[in-house]
Amino acid sequence: QVVLVRSEDVNMSGSLYRAKLKYANFKRKKTNSNPRHGPFHQRAPSKIVWRTIRGMVPHKTARGAASLDRLKCFEGIPHPFDRKKRMVIPAALKVLRLRPERKFCKLGDLSNVFGWKHQELISRLEGQRKVKSEAFHKKKVATQRSQKAAGTKVKVSAEDRKVLEAAGFA
């Protein structure tokens, strides 16, 4: 399983103006006889990222469809994932991909321009999540410090130390 969170904070190279022109050009493309047949132009950042990744995957094969089923994209960090350990893909970091003087824009800003209505809501919920996360982290660090201090204060006899070393707790 691959879960992509905070898709509204994905950085895109190029200015917001340039991204607007490119997305407006994409929005122009539709089925001439019946536009409801597609292509569909999603506004939410998670859907835009999902479709971008779909373009990189052979999604018409069973293997590609299965890999896309294993991919989940979300704006913000919803409940089950806010308690899980997260990873960053180092090769995708802005500091490694873009030169400092180059312009970039956030996907959430582009989506907001084209009709995504939940940017304020997601930013408010993310603010609340960050406050809770910081409190949890401070509590965790304090617990680790106290456990380390208690470990240095305790006196263990030589025979108990042998037993602990044999069990791998030295």
Side-chain angles (χ1 to χ4, degrees):
Q1 289 284 349
V2 176
V3 179
L4 188 143
V5 292
R6 289 171 55 197
S7 58
E8 73 280 0
D9 285 336
V10 169
N11 287 325
M12 298 169 58
S13 61
S15 65
L16 180 61
Y17 178 75
R18 185 169 182 270
K20 280 192 224 175
L21 291 177
K22 289 196 322 198
Y23 202 79
N25 194 31
F26 166 64
K27 267 185 63 179
R28 235 175 13 103
K29 292 170 172 53
K30 57 188 177 186
T31 305
N32 205 12
S33 57
N34 188 354
R36 283 181 293 184
H37 289 176
F40 304 110
H41 313 101
Q42 302 289 348
R43 297 332 196 258
S46 59
K47 301 283 189 182
I48 294 173
V49 169
W50 185 87
R51 188 188 167 121
T52 305
I53 294 171
R54 189 189 76 172
M56 305 173 193
V57 174
H59 66 275
K60 293 187 179 183
T61 65
R63 183 175 66 103
S67 68
L68 271 182
D69 285 340
R70 290 192 297 271
L71 172 70
K72 303 281 180 267
C73 299
F74 296 101
E75 292 96 16
I77 305 180
H79 164 63
F81 307 110
D82 59 351
R83 306 248 187 258
K84 294 197 162 88
K85 183 158 178 61
R86 294 180 282 281
M87 291 175 57
V88 172
I89 302 168
L93 289 173
K94 181 185 143 235
V95 72
L96 296 177
R97 304 305 292 169
L98 277 181
R99 290 173 53 181
E101 71 273 6
R102 296 295 186 187
K103 292 184 177 178
F104 70 96
C105 65
K106 300 240 185 235
L107 185 56
D109 296 337
L110 178 70
S111 294
N112 195 37
V113 168
F114 280 99
W116 181 53
K117 295 179 176 63
H118 306 294
Q119 190 171 30
E120 290 85 24
L121 171 69
I122 294 294
S123 63
R124 184 169 50 83
L125 290 174
E126 277 296 289
Q128 293 172 354
R129 182 195 63 79
K130 285 177 183 171
V131 167
K132 286 181 186 172
S133 178
E134 187 179 359
F136 170 77
H137 182 69
K138 284 182 179 174
K139 185 178 173 185
K140 180 180 161 188
V141 168
T143 306
Q144 287 174 341
R145 271 199 203 114
S146 63
Q147 284 177 346
K148 193 173 183 181
T152 57
K153 287 181 184 175
V154 74
K155 291 177 176 61
V156 181
S157 65
E159 55 199 48
D160 288 342
R161 189 174 298 282
K162 280 184 183 174
V163 173
L164 285 172
E165 286 174 359
F169 292 107

